[in-house]
Amino acid sequence: TQYGGKGDPGANVAAFETLAFGDLSLLVKFGVQFGLWGGSVHQLGTRRHHDRYLKQIATLELPGAFAMTEAGHGSDVQHLETTATYDPETHEFVIHTPNDEAHKEYIGNAADHGRMATVFAQLIVDGEEHGVHALVVPLRDDDGTLRPGVRIEDCGEKLGLNGVDNGRIWFDR
């Protein structure tokens, strides 16, 4: 509730179900925005992430995506190949797709609307691997322009769910 929610999960489920009567594409986008993207920030983030992002996620000011699945590994999270290497000089994580099989695949909200994503990647610090971690990664500027080093393609026709903007994502450092 401190980030704008009503504290009524039953009402949220009812709203989600009701969307299915009108537009299944909208239902999927609702699920990605509030369930996957918002849920990942809420459940995996810290107080700092909550304070910075949750209100904007809840009001749709900050559309986002949940980027776990990779072309070569599906959702086999342990074997994902995307890397997040900590750069001590810039105090940033450098996100990289090391080969084509490691691109993020069929990511909801990625093709058109997502400005940020929870990206699952192998964490590397000082050359040592620390397993898969989730990072909040900017995809687009506020005006929708892709950030440097980010390439996104639309997945194309969605068999009746063409309002869903699933995309593929590559990160070049």
Side-chain angles (χ1 to χ4, degrees):
T1 55
Q2 76 185 89
Y3 300 105
K6 302 293 183 199
D8 188 350
N12 186 58
V13 171
F16 186 76
E17 290 176 344
T18 302
L19 287 172
F21 290 109
D23 185 339
L24 291 175
S25 291
L26 182 59
L27 171 78
V28 171
K29 287 188 70 69
F30 181 98
V32 169
Q33 175 68 22
F34 303 113
L36 293 174
W37 160 234
S40 65
V41 172
H42 184 249
Q43 297 298 322
L44 302 174
T46 64
R47 167 76 69 192
R48 180 175 62 100
H49 297 101
H50 298 168
D51 291 345
R52 185 169 180 185
Y53 300 119
L54 284 180
K55 234 176 218 176
Q56 292 179 353
I57 292 170
T59 60
L60 202 54
E61 290 174 65
L62 183 58
F66 181 87
M68 181 177 64
T69 304
E70 291 182 357
H73 295 285
S75 295
D76 176 7
V77 177
Q78 182 179 358
H79 295 104
L80 296 178
E81 294 184 72
T82 299
T83 58
T85 304
Y86 182 70
D87 181 343
E89 290 182 24
T90 63
H91 303 285
E92 296 176 331
F93 293 95
V94 178
I95 312 300
H96 186 60
T97 304
N99 60 66
D100 195 51
E101 290 295 303
H103 77 266
K104 299 299 182 181
E105 179 69 42
Y106 219 72
I107 306 304
N109 277 355
D112 294 317
H113 300 115
R115 289 200 347 252
M116 297 191 83
T118 299
V119 175
F120 289 76
Q122 299 287 345
L123 178 63
I124 301 170
V125 179
D126 292 329
E128 184 179 338
E129 294 185 15
H130 293 273
V132 175
H133 284 66
L135 296 95
V136 176
V137 178
L139 301 176
R140 293 178 171 87
D141 293 332
D142 290 343
D143 66 0
T145 303
L146 284 176
R147 299 290 304 263
V150 177
R151 179 172 59 117
I152 296 178
E153 293 178 358
D154 193 302
C155 288
E157 297 291 313
K158 285 35 169 234
L159 301 173
L161 293 173
N162 291 324
V164 177
D165 64 334
N166 292 79
R168 299 175 184 95
I169 309 172
W170 291 260
F171 299 97
D172 184 10
R173 295 177 178 81

